[in-house]
Amino acid sequence: MATLELYTKGASVWVPDPDSVWVSAQLLQDFRPGEKQLLLQLPDGREVHHPVGSLSDLPPLGNPDILEGENDLTALSFLHEPAVLHNLRVRFLDYSSIYTYCGIVLVAINPYEQLPIYGEEVVDAYSGQDMADMEPHIFSVAEEAYRTMTREEKNQSIVISGESGSGKTVSAKFTMRYFAVVGGAAQRTSVEERVLSSNPIMESIGNAKTTRNDNSSRFGKYIEIGFGRKGDIVGANMRTYLLEKSRVVFQVIIISTWRKAANLRHACAFPFRCQRVRMKAGSSNCTTNT
């Protein structure tokens, strides 16, 4: 069936909205090629005319109600921006799920609160299971990589990406925690704690404030975890890469002539000594040398 034939009376479409970004609307009459507008009914009952200058101006079609809350976005009949946003919203609000698959990609929503879905009982539930058999979870992705590594004896990579404040560091922490538990480490959380314990030092040097995050990292992190023949963790290494140097900024101070003179007089009246601060690696203590 051609796409145009789906724009019939009663069909669901998505139209832009200044407040909600996208809202669902229903066609009140069939669309015929050559027509310059669509008659739509919004959720609040208002009827509006949607302009159609060309076929590319047709609003995106909505998915059937039976597909609402699908745990895999690739299962949707129509995969576009409003469909993705709506499905993620339904899963987050109605299903209390922050994870959704998109094929082999796991989409995660930062809930900005602690959730009881990362305990050892959850690790045990995902251990040895296929991704297709379990609900979306960061542990499922970790299990897939772990099993492939132990079965094929080949290196595996998990790429965690997202915008500032999306929870990338937390996802990396839970991934390493899963490896530590299923690998039978004596101290199950020591590996990720040791790797992530260097974060405060790096953040004090390379973080910068952005419009979305007061403590946005300018570092890309490559964490390499070593496993033994039995699948247990034997070590870890982390490399960092400075990103977006133009956003690592400093405060520009402009002092007028009279201000310079005032500072000079103040310095002469109250002499001061400069201090050099050195931070010891592996310690939170700072020493000062005068």
Side-chain angles (χ1 to χ4, degrees), residues 116-173:
I117 58 174
Y118 303 104
E120 290 193 15
E121 67 281 358
V122 182
V123 174
D124 295 337
Y126 279 86
S127 180
Q129 302 296 324
D130 292 330
M131 290 181 61
D133 299 333
M134 303 294 292
E135 276 293 304
H137 200 286
I138 188 66
F139 290 165
S140 185
V141 176
E143 170 63 22
E144 184 72 14
Y146 183 81
R147 277 199 303 143
T148 304
M149 178 199 66
T150 55
R151 182 178 62 249
E152 301 181 3
E153 296 186 351
K154 293 182 179 180
N155 294 333
Q156 303 294 312
S157 296
I158 298 176
V159 180
I160 302 176
S161 63
E163 65 178 6
S164 177
S166 60
K168 298 182 293 295
T169 300
V170 175
S171 294
K173 177 179 179 180

Side-chain angles (χ1 to χ4, degrees), residues 205-209 218 244-252:
I205 300 172
N207 280 20
K209 183 176 181 179
R218 301 272 64 79
E244 302 180 23
K245 294 183 180 180
S246 62
R247 294 178 67 181
V248 182
V249 298
F250 61 91
Q251 185 176 7
V252 179

Side-chain angles (χ1 to χ4, degrees), residues 72-265:
D72 193 337
L73 296 174
T74 60
L76 299 178
S77 301
F78 305 105
L79 189 59
H80 41 60
E81 179 183 326
V84 170
L85 295 177
H86 177 69
N87 198 74
L88 294 177
R89 181 179 184 273
V90 169
R91 288 186 57 78
F92 183 74
L93 296 180
D94 298 344
Y95 294 84
S96 299
S97 177
I98 65 173
Y99 293 115
T100 305
Y101 287 134
C102 185
I104 62 174
V105 177
L106 180 70
V107 181
I109 298 176
N110 191 345
Y112 292 99
E113 64 178 346
Q114 297 291 336
L115 299 179
I117 58 174
Y118 303 104
E120 290 193 15
E121 67 281 358
V122 182
V123 174
D124 295 337
Y126 279 86
S127 180
Q129 302 296 324
D130 292 330
M131 290 181 61
D133 299 333
M134 303 294 292
E135 276 293 304
H137 200 286
I138 188 66
F139 290 165
S140 185
V141 176
E143 170 63 22
E144 184 72 14
Y146 183 81
R147 277 199 303 143
T148 304
M149 178 199 66
T150 55
R151 182 178 62 249
E152 301 181 3
E153 296 186 351
K154 293 182 179 180
N155 294 333
Q156 303 294 312
S157 296
I158 298 176
V159 180
I160 302 176
S161 63
E163 65 178 6
S164 177
S166 60
K168 298 182 293 295
T169 300
V170 175
S171 294
K173 177 179 179 180
F174 286 131
T175 301
M176 289 185 286
R177 180 173 298 176
Y178 183 87
F179 291 147
V181 175
V182 298
Q187 296 180 348
R188 295 185 173 183
T189 61
S190 62
V191 175
E192 76 270 11
E193 287 180 356
R194 290 180 182 179
V195 174
L196 296 175
S197 63
S198 59
N199 273 355
I201 298 177
M202 294 187 300
E203 290 177 355
S204 65
I205 300 172
N207 280 20
K209 183 176 181 179
T210 65
T211 57
R212 297 190 179 185
N213 190 351
D214 288 343
N215 195 36
S216 178
S217 175
R218 301 272 64 79
F219 287 101
K221 302 180 183 70
Y222 177 77
I223 303 174
E224 188 177 40
I225 302 177
F227 294 85
R229 289 289 181 181
K230 298 181 180 180
D232 55 324
I233 295 179
V234 296
N237 180 44
M238 180 165 62
R239 303 173 187 175
T240 59
Y241 306 90
L242 183 60
L243 306 176
E244 302 180 23
K245 294 183 180 180
S246 62
R247 294 178 67 181
V248 182
V249 298
F250 61 91
Q251 185 176 7
V252 179
I253 303 177
I254 302 176
I255 307 178
S256 61
T257 304
W258 68 268
R259 183 61 178 171
K260 289 181 181 179
N263 286 343
L264 181 60
R265 290 194 300 271

